[in-house]
Amino acid sequence: MSTPVPGSPGPRDVLARYRRAILDRSADGLADLYARDAVHEFPFRFPGLPAHYRGREEVRAGYKALWGASPARPEAVHEVAVHESTDPEVIVVEQTVTGTVTTTGAPFEVPGLLVLRVRDGLLVHVRDYMDGLAATGAAGR
């Protein structure tokens, strides 16, 4: 654990910007929240996603491709709970993303859990546990 840089955004601030990027489907906005050498892991594997993205540019390219190919349009992020950690860099977030599949008009709901580590205002490690069946259904597969 490092000493925080005074004035840099904390985990809750970064979480709010993370959610905005998701709702905007902005791969650039999302990637800009990550440190250059950050790791974003997907422990629950499912079709269409790698086990992880290594580095800001893999996050950018991965989400740009994913969102470009998906008819799922997120409309809201419903916070179930945010759990503070004894480590000031880490928060655990339970949430559900809801929206519409544009090709069918069907609603979707993808529950998930994020473990975010924020250092000096940037994400350095994310563990992204999401319901793979719900996510692939929202993607029209």
Side-chain angles (χ1 to χ4, degrees):
M1 183 167 51
S2 66
T3 304
V5 172
S8 63
R12 282 188 180 262
D13 298 319
V14 173
L15 173 61
R17 291 173 31 211
Y18 184 97
R19 287 176 171 162
R20 182 77 261 153
I22 296 293
L23 292 174
D24 292 343
R25 290 178 32 125
S26 173
D28 291 328
L30 187 65
D32 290 346
L33 298 174
Y34 285 77
R36 184 179 10 248
D37 59 349
V39 175
H40 186 123
E41 296 179 295
F42 300 98
F44 294 160
R45 300 288 311 277
F46 59 91
L49 281 182
H52 59 266
Y53 295 131
R54 292 201 183 278
R56 179 186 299 145
E57 296 313 313
E58 277 192 23
V59 169
R60 185 181 322 276
Y63 275 93
K64 195 170 282 194
L66 182 68
W67 288 336
S70 175
R73 296 295 180 259
E75 295 162 357
V77 178
H78 305 277
E79 183 175 292
V80 176
V82 176
H83 304 279
E84 301 291 337
S85 167
T86 56
D87 181 338
E89 292 183 345
V90 176
I91 59 173
V92 178
V93 181
E94 296 177 64
Q95 63 186 25
T96 301
V97 177
T98 59
T100 304
V101 179
T102 59
T103 53
T104 65
F108 71 85
E109 182 175 295
V110 180
L113 184 134
L114 296 169
V115 180
L116 305 175
R117 178 174 293 278
V118 176
R119 185 173 301 137
D120 299 333
L122 295 171
L123 291 163
V124 294
H125 192 234
V126 174
R127 290 184 60 84
D128 191 343
Y129 299 88
M130 70 179 111
D131 180 339
L133 290 176
T136 54
R141 290 183 264 153

